[in-house]
């Protein structure tokens, strides 16, 4: 679903270092790659507003402001690339182009206890659970459907009013064809009720077909992730953190084949600084255990949350665990939170699971 106008080879022609992340990311405007996944849509709509629209004061972030998305995730890159490439993002909602600014109080949580020694064993169990899944294998013509609840927190300056605010928890629905060239997005308060198209001429990094071609040997996979993240990450982001976030983005709003998903967890276990967290809560309040890593540059810890019994992936969040100079966020602030509520295979774009095509 990458909508970049630049030519990219067919997956069968990719070299080992091309298939994981789209090279066109370098063509994005400065700073675009540091945005929240959930805030990317708001910025896109700002770009698409007409000159007669009522201007909205820009969101100003502290410096440095290294967000969770140190690499553009598949969906965020798709949307940004569509704007940069001048391609149309079309939808039928009457409020298409309008954005909802965060005004609520900052989300906070109790910071869970991190255990570095327990991470390898927990990730091994999670990998085994992922490999033993009984989910169906999709076939060509079908779509990956993912529904989630998301919210984010950021520092906002609006005239004399400066404060840390959070979005209202809202729904997000994404459809993606297996080749990543067709899809649809509906996000409450940001895309209009009918959503927008994600159609493109080239596949995205998170497309099922792209993920299916990744190596399943954890060492080979991790080497590839490091090479790609080194090529695309912000210079201020530590390379181990970039690799960890890259894996997380490939595991969340996507549908990796079981063997690839299992390999990604085993690869994550080899990244220095990865820890287990005894208790974490997803966006809908479900408690679980987490695999996490702290970014020392901004004091924020990215947490992948799993059910304590089944080890099923529930969602992820980013929590401030250390106060950093120049940051407006207090310890315990949740800067991003999500919960996967449905991950299914459907027969048509915009089809809801259980609905006849």
């Amino acid at each position: 679903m990458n909508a970049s106008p630049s030519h990219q080879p067919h997956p069968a022609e990719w070299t080992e270092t091309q298939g994981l992340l789209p090279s066109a990311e370098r063509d994005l405007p400065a700073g675009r790659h540091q945005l929240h996944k959930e805030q990317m849509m708001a910025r896109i709509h700002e770009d698409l507003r007409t000159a007669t629209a009522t201007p909205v004061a820009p969101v100003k972030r502290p410096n440095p402001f290294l967000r969770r998305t140190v690499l553009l995730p598949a969906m965020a890159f798709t949307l940004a690339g569509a704007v940069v490439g001048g391609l149309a993002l079309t939808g039928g909602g009457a409020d298409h182009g309008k954005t909802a600014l965060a005004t609520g109080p900052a989300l906070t949580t109790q910071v869970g206890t991190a255990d570095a020694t327990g991470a390898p064993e927990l990730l091994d169990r999670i990998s085994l659970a992922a490999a033993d899944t009984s989910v169906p294998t999709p076939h060509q013509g079908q779509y990956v459907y993912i529904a989630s609840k998301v919210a984010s927190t950021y520092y906002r300056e609006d005239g004399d009013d400066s404060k840390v605010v959070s979005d209202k928890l809202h729904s997000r629905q994404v459809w993606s064809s297996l080749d990543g060239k067709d899809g649809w997005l509906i996000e409450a308060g940001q895309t209009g009720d009918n959503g927008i198209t994600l159609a493109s001429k080239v596949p995205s990094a998170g497309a099922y077909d792209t993920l299916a071609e990744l190596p399943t040997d954890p060492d080979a996979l991790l080497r590839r992730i490091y090479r790609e993240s080194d090529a695309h990450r912000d210079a201020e982001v530590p390379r181990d953190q970039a690799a960890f976030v890259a894996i997380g983005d490939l595991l969340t709003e996507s549908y990796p084949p079981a063997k690839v998903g299992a390999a990604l967890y085993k690869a994550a276990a080899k990244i220095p600084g990865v820890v287990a967290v005894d208790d974490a809560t997803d966006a809908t309040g479900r408690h679980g255990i987490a695999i996490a890593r702290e970014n020392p540059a901004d004091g924020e810890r990215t947490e992948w949350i799993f059910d304590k019994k089944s080890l099923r992936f529930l969602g992820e969040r980013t929590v401030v665990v250390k106060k950093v100079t120049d940051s407006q966020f207090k310890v315990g602030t949740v800067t991003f939170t999500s919960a996967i509520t449905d991950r299914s295979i459907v027969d048509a774009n915009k089809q809801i699971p259980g609905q006849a095509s």
Side-chain angles (χ1 to χ4, degrees), residues 82-97:
V83 173
V84 174
L87 302 180
L89 294 176
T90 60
D95 58 345
H96 178 64

Side-chain angles (χ1 to χ4, degrees), residues 196-208:
I196 61 173
T197 181
L198 300 177
S200 174
K201 294 181 179 180
V202 291
S204 70
Y208 180 88

Side-chain angles (χ1 to χ4, degrees), residues 255-320:
Y255 191 93
K259 290 184 179 180
V260 174
L264 285 167
Y265 289 124
K266 286 184 175 294
K270 299 175 180 293
I271 298 176
V274 173
V275 299
V277 178
D278 62 343
D279 185 66
T281 308
D282 73 6
T284 60
R286 296 178 297 190
H287 282 265
I289 51 179
I291 291 296
R293 192 180 191 283
E294 178 189 341
N295 182 357
D298 62 9
E300 297 187 21
R301 188 170 72 192
T302 300
E303 301 177 345
W304 308 336
I305 306 169
F306 302 86
D307 182 88
K308 292 183 178 179
K309 293 184 179 180
S310 68
L311 299 180
R312 177 174 59 92
F313 181 82
L314 300 179
E316 65 174 327
R317 69 178 185 179
T318 304
V319 181
V320 178

Side-chain angles (χ1 to χ4, degrees), residues 140-222:
Q140 292 305 315
Q142 291 186 310
Y143 286 73
V144 175
Y145 169 80
I146 298 175
S148 60
K149 298 285 187 179
V150 299
S152 64
T153 301
Y154 56 91
Y155 182 64
R156 179 185 178 190
E157 290 185 5
D158 186 5
D160 295 331
D161 185 17
S162 302
K163 58 183 177 181
V164 175
V165 294
S166 293
D167 294 326
K168 180 180 179 181
L169 186 68
H170 59 278
S171 62
R172 177 180 171 93
Q173 295 173 286
V174 176
W175 289 261
S176 173
S177 61
L178 302 190
D179 63 7
K181 295 182 180 181
D182 191 23
W184 198 260
L185 169 67
I186 301 176
E187 184 161 358
Q190 299 196 30
T191 65
D193 293 341
N194 291 337
I196 61 173
T197 181
L198 300 177
S200 174
K201 294 181 179 180
V202 291
S204 70
Y208 180 88
D209 289 350
T210 304
L211 292 173
E213 294 182 355
L214 292 177
T216 55
D217 174 75
D219 292 314
L221 181 56
L222 187 59

Side-chain angles (χ1 to χ4, degrees), residues 107-111 319-321 330-334:
L107 298 169
T108 59
T109 189
Q110 187 74 29
V111 176
V319 181
V320 178
V321 296
K330 298 178 180 179
V331 172
T333 300
V334 179

